[in-house]
Amino acid sequence: MKDSNTIKTAYQNAKAQYAEIGINTDEAIEQMNKIVISLHCWQTDDVSGFETPDAELGGGGIMATGNFPGKARTIDQVKADIEKVMSLLPGKQRLNLHAIYGDFNGEKVDRDQIEVKHFQSWIDWAKKLGIGLDFNPTCFSHPLSNDGYTLASKDEKIRRFWIEHVKRCRLIGAEMGKQLGTPCVNNIWIPDGSKDHPVDRYTYRALLKESLDEIFSISYPKEYLKDSVECKLFGIGSEAMVVGSHEFYMGYAIKNKTLLTLDNGHFHPTEQIADKIPSILLYLDEILLHVSRGVRWDSDHVVILNDEMLSIAQEIVRAKAIDRVNVALDYFDASLNRIGAYVIGTRAAQQAFLCALLEPFDMLKAAEESGNYFKRLSTLELMKTKPFGAVYDYYCLINNVPVGEDYVASIEKYEAEVSLKR
Ligand code: RNT
Ligand code: ZN
């Protein structure tokens, strides 16, 4: 166990060092309470869900690889795992559900038949924990998504099926927001696209627009539901064209005043989303982030504290837009302890925000405006070796969660006593 006096002393030291450059660490910690990260339920079970006992992620251009033992196989196990994860994280989190995680009670309920009642036990559980819920239609892992198209399908029967599914998801999401007193973000991502270049991209996009227009023709109070749409450049099997591209959804979101989801694994590997944030925030009230880590072909590795994560947090904090950005995680790695994957990723995202909050932005801005680029660059470089870790440790300490390495031991214990016994 870490010694709390050591943590407090390190914090006092760090506090003094940040104070020298005009930063109040207590205020930064206070601001961290506004960063409520939505944990994706699907890292618990490799995006399997509970439609059938042997459900597995299928197609959709996404894939979970690895066979680490102990994955959650029941709703109770998902809940237990998420509660464990939350007990290891400072601050508050939300839970982000996918439609395939409904409480179907052994009954076969197709996607165009789901109702609020299938999610009531989740809502009750969330209420008990005092957390908010977010939601996602599941337009993959289904026979009617096998040919690669859902809302943009040229087969009217298929398209109608998915329109009905997404409509029902919005209704369920609105009910979650209503019952829990915090708006539910319902994020629409569809896999539609093709391996090779279609000659008629326009018709696919027109079909998607038509489907969305119908879906959004029903409106819900903003206090209950926030709609978001998620773009992607390519996926497995949709290398040449994805119908819901960045331009498609950016135009759609601006025109229809929805949120826009930026998943940082969904762009060209050298393209960064951080620089998109201050532009998009001029045209949209809010955005949703899917914080992920792209590695070569995969867009869903566990988030770590890297330059990309840091610059995303910096752009949000520098634009004073914490209140306008909904932060969710999105990755699924089945090759390591899944609880560990959550805690590593969430802590990394939190640390990126903390670093951004500890930046002497006014000083940097003044240097920039006076043309003193030497001061700007030297300050940015010097910030990299400031003791932000001591501030994060203290943030964990005052939130009564394990500090530093202590969380690893706690996960190893849960693995031995719970996950591996499944
Ligand atoms: C897929 C999208 C999408 C999914 C989840 C499971 O590329 O990122 O958000 O990861 O809906
Ligand atoms: Zn995503």
Side-chain angles (χ1 to χ4, degrees):
M1 269 284 273
K2 287 219 170 273
D3 170 45
S4 65
N5 282 327
T6 312
I7 296 158
K8 285 181 193 157
T9 310
Y11 177 66
Q12 289 310 327
N13 205 308
K15 187 175 166 164
Q17 287 188 54
Y18 281 103
E20 285 171 3
I21 46 164
I23 297 293
N24 183 327
T25 51
D26 291 331
E27 273 170 23
I29 289 177
E30 188 64 35
Q31 289 269 88
M32 283 300 288
N33 293 330
K34 290 199 198 158
I35 315 281
V36 179
I37 296 179
S38 192
L39 305 178
H40 53 316
C41 71
W42 51 93
Q43 167 68 50
T44 58
D45 72 339
D46 318 332
V47 211
S48 301
F50 298 110
E51 284 182 329
T52 56
D54 53 356
E56 261 185 34
L57 171 61
I62 52 177
M63 199 159 100
T65 51
N67 54 4
F68 197 83
K71 83 175 204 177
R73 288 203 167 75
T74 64
I75 292 185
D76 283 344
Q77 290 176 358
V78 171
K79 286 179 181 163
D81 287 0
I82 294 294
E83 285 179 36
K84 178 68 192 172
V85 169
M86 288 181 174
S87 77
L88 299 173
L89 294 169
K92 262 195 107 124
Q93 289 81 42
R94 305 169 60 87
L95 180 69
N96 195 5
L97 282 174
H98 237 284
I100 48 173
Y101 288 77
D103 198 345
F104 304 116
N105 238 320
E107 202 193 320
K108 164 87 192 130
V109 184
D110 211 346
R111 307 265 172 97
D112 62 344
Q113 299 297 319
I114 55 166
E115 293 175 49
V116 172
K117 69 175 185 201
H118 302 118
F119 295 87
Q120 191 56 51
S121 61
W122 281 111
I123 301 174
D124 296 341
W125 171 79
K127 192 165 225 163
K128 202 181 75 202
L129 294 189
I131 62 166
L133 289 179
D134 297 309
F135 203 49
N136 303 260
T138 313
C139 301
F140 50 84
S141 304
H142 190 280
L144 289 183
S145 65
N146 276 350
D147 74 351
Y149 292 92
T150 63
L151 292 180
S153 178
K154 290 188 175 177
D155 180 332
E156 190 58 14
K157 201 183 96 241
I158 294 181
R159 200 171 71 88
R160 296 244 60 89
F161 175 86
W162 292 110
I163 289 174
E164 182 60 29
H165 173 61
V166 180
K167 278 185 171 170
R168 283 172 181 253
C169 288
R170 291 184 69 231
L171 179 100
I172 293 164
E175 185 61 26
M176 288 173 166
K178 185 177 176 188
Q179 289 193 35
L180 296 170
T182 164
C184 166
V185 182
N186 183 58
N187 175 55
I188 302 177
W189 173 74
I190 58 163
D192 302 33
S194 65
K195 185 179 178 76
D196 219 333
H197 297 283
V199 291
D200 181 15
R201 293 163 185 255
Y202 189 85
T203 303
Y204 283 121
R205 292 193 166 122
L207 281 166
L208 177 53
K209 181 175 177 294
E210 208 177 306
S211 299
L212 293 171
D213 286 348
E214 180 175 339
I215 287 162
F216 293 129
S217 66
I218 303 160
S219 55
Y220 294 96
K222 268 209 204 104
E223 313 86 75
Y224 301 162
L225 185 72
K226 296 198 257 188
D227 290 296
S228 199
V229 286
E230 179 178 11
C231 75
K232 193 168 183 173
L233 179 66
F234 69 94
I236 307 167
S238 59
E239 291 84 2
M241 190 252 335
V242 163
V243 183
S245 60
H246 180 52
E247 293 70 18
F248 177 91
Y249 280 127
M250 185 152 147
Y252 196 88
I254 291 171
K255 184 159 183 213
N256 299 284
K257 302 196 184 325
T258 67
L259 278 67
L260 183 70
T261 305
L262 292 175
D263 182 317
N264 60 312
H266 284 195
F267 292 82
H268 187 280
T270 63
E271 190 176 3
Q272 301 283 309
I273 67 158
D275 188 41
K276 300 179 191 303
I277 295 170
S279 298
I280 294 172
L281 284 175
L282 287 174
Y283 300 103
L284 294 177
D285 291 340
E286 288 187 36
I287 58 171
L288 169 65
L289 286 185
H290 266 192
V291 183
S292 192
R293 176 164 52 107
V295 177
R296 309 197 191 285
W297 64 269
D298 178 50
S299 59
D300 296 293
H301 272 57
V302 180
V303 169
I304 55 172
L305 183 58
N306 56 12
D307 285 350
E308 193 177 353
M309 189 61 246
L310 273 168
S311 50
I312 290 169
Q314 281 166 342
E315 286 310 319
I316 295 165
V317 172
R318 290 172 183 172
K320 309 212 177 342
I322 289 179
D323 298 333
R324 296 168 60 199
V325 180
N326 302 270
V327 186
L329 303 175
D330 183 13
Y331 51 79
F332 24 99
D333 184 341
S335 74
L336 77 171
N337 181 298
R338 293 171 184 80
I339 314 274
Y342 277 111
V343 179
I344 291 170
T346 320
R347 285 188 174 220
Q350 288 180 328
Q351 287 170 359
F353 278 99
L354 182 62
C355 270
L357 289 164
L358 291 169
E359 188 179 73
F361 180 63
D362 294 339
M363 183 203 279
L364 285 161
K365 199 174 154 200
E368 183 164 287
E369 281 167 4
S370 66
N372 193 342
Y373 302 143
F374 162 61
K375 185 159 184 208
R376 182 181 65 184
L377 191 58
S378 58
T379 306
L380 287 170
E381 282 302 291
L382 288 164
M383 291 316 294
K384 291 179 181 168
T385 53
K386 294 271 183 251
F388 88 91
V391 182
Y392 188 80
D393 284 352
Y394 181 72
Y395 174 52
C396 290
L397 183 78
I398 60 175
N399 274 274
N400 294 313
V401 297
V403 176
E405 304 83 295
D406 286 355
Y407 87 76
V408 179
S410 175
I411 290 174
E412 282 169 352
K413 186 163 181 276
Y414 186 83
E415 179 177 298
E417 291 172 2
V418 182
S419 321
L420 294 184
K421 298 220 164 109
R422 287 176 179 159

